[in-house]
Amino acid sequence: MQAVKLAFLGAGNMSGSIIGGLIAKGVPAENIIATRRSEERLSELKSQFNITTSSDNNAAVAKSDVVILGVKPQMMQELCSEIREQVQKSKPLIVSVAAGLKSETLERWLGGDVAVVRTMPNTPSLLGCGATGLYANSKVTGIQQELAEKLMQAVGLALWVEDEAQMDAVTAVSGSGPAYFFLAMEALQKAGESVGLSAEVAEKLAIQTALGAARMASESEDDAAELRRRVTSPGGTTEQALNTFNDGGLTELYRKAVKAAANRGQELANQLDH
């Protein structure tokens, strides 16, 4: 990555996180250019990372090997129309961090015959502990795929899917997933309050327990099911709580929720595809 020229168009919070991760991993600041309509945000990025900033998207594309599209989905067609001619001229790798937009749609908006990697990062990427799904269209070379993977590894875990339809599942599991855990923490806090804990104590215990459980799952060689079994003594308090979850159909409820999110992701992608 040290010799690769990178352009972040529409550099928002996610782009800023990726830029920070890249620089922390040794990518030279002079190899990165960011564009945005807000001069204030550009000044912040320049001050924080000492990168080049510009309001000229086409000039940024012309100088870059990899172009990261960071605008909102509803603004993407306008951006693609603006840079289409330059993309056709210089043929950079296009990496999209916009939710819902199919690679085929992006390629068409950019004039066709373009190497496109579609990604789905999640909000913990802002802290460098994200989970990102990636899909490469048929124009992406092996070297370009490696570049895209290293790019997203700057903010956490990066995993490829071979079928683009699976990106809706990625969105449903990891893209929307942080909200599921926030809801669980919120519910556990309220449950703690209902059995006598103060709101402050219940909140701190719920958050730290979630953090500890996630670290154990991440760092252990055993899967989540085995870790759950280890803390569930027969006839004990944990077993009683888990039986209650199972009686309430928690596993099936998760399945339905993820399915609903995946279906909605597909609906939104179809709405954007025009």
Side-chain angles (χ1 to χ4, degrees):
M1 291 291 288
Q2 271 68 19
V4 177
K5 304 292 185 182
L6 301 152
F8 289 81
L9 308 188
N13 290 334
M14 187 61 69
S15 292
S17 297
I18 297 171
I19 291 168
L22 291 170
I23 288 176
K25 290 178 181 294
V27 174
E30 58 265 28
N31 287 359
I32 300 173
I33 184 169
T35 72
R36 192 175 167 87
R37 289 177 178 175
S38 168
E39 288 293 335
E40 182 180 353
R41 177 57 178 161
L42 287 180
S43 296
E44 290 174 3
L45 287 169
K46 186 174 182 62
S47 174
Q48 185 175 5
F49 301 118
N50 197 32
I51 61 172
T52 302
T53 59
S54 173
S55 58
D56 189 336
N57 288 322
N58 280 297
V61 171
K63 298 174 183 175
S64 302
D65 305 301
V66 182
V67 174
I68 299 89
L69 305 180
V71 300
K72 294 178 180 179
Q74 58 268 30
M75 298 169 61
M76 189 65 80
Q77 187 171 12
E78 180 184 348
L79 174 62
C80 289
S81 297
E82 179 186 345
I83 64 173
R84 181 189 299 125
E85 187 175 337
Q86 183 56 54
V87 166
Q88 287 296 320
K89 189 182 299 183
S90 53
K91 297 290 186 181
L93 169 65
I94 300 295
V95 177
S96 169
V97 297
L101 281 168
K102 298 176 183 176
S103 62
E104 181 184 1
T105 302
L106 291 166
E107 186 181 2
R108 185 174 71 250
W109 287 349
L110 291 166
D113 193 30
V114 178
V116 176
V117 171
R118 176 184 169 189
T119 74
M120 183 65 238
N122 62 7
T123 52
S125 298
L126 302 176
L127 302 177
C129 57
T132 301
L134 303 94
Y135 170 78
N137 74 358
S138 61
K139 312 298 190 309
V140 177
T141 67
I143 291 175
Q144 288 176 324
Q145 194 166 343
E146 200 174 313
L147 286 175
E149 183 173 331
K150 288 180 179 177
L151 182 74
M152 300 315 298
Q153 283 175 341
V155 290
L157 179 72
L159 298 173
W160 291 94
V161 298
E162 295 184 4
D163 182 352
E164 187 167 10
Q166 292 177 336
M167 288 297 285
D168 293 321
V170 169
T171 301
V173 173
S174 59
S176 301
Y180 313 157
F181 290 100
F182 295 145
L183 177 61
M185 286 186 278
E186 187 181 354
L188 185 56
Q189 176 190 339
K190 289 178 180 177
E193 291 175 46
S194 75
V195 291
L197 295 175
S198 69
E200 181 182 8
V201 169
E203 179 184 29
K204 288 182 177 179
L205 288 175
I207 292 172
Q208 185 63 27
T209 301
L211 176 63
R215 278 198 61 186
M216 285 186 72
S218 176
E219 295 173 15
S220 174
E221 294 182 359
D222 298 310
D223 62 16
E226 176 59 25
L227 292 173
R228 172 180 54 77
R229 282 191 288 269
R230 287 185 184 180
V231 297
T232 308
S233 302
T237 57
T238 306
E239 183 183 67
Q240 196 71 19
L242 292 179
N243 287 341
T244 303
F245 281 133
N246 290 331
D247 290 343
L250 182 65
T251 300
E252 177 63 11
L253 192 60
Y254 264 103
R255 188 196 67 78
K256 288 181 178 179
V258 169
K259 179 66 173 175
N263 288 343
R264 183 55 178 158
Q266 190 171 20
E267 289 172 3
L268 292 172
N270 290 337
Q271 289 174 16
L272 291 165
D273 185 11
H274 59 269

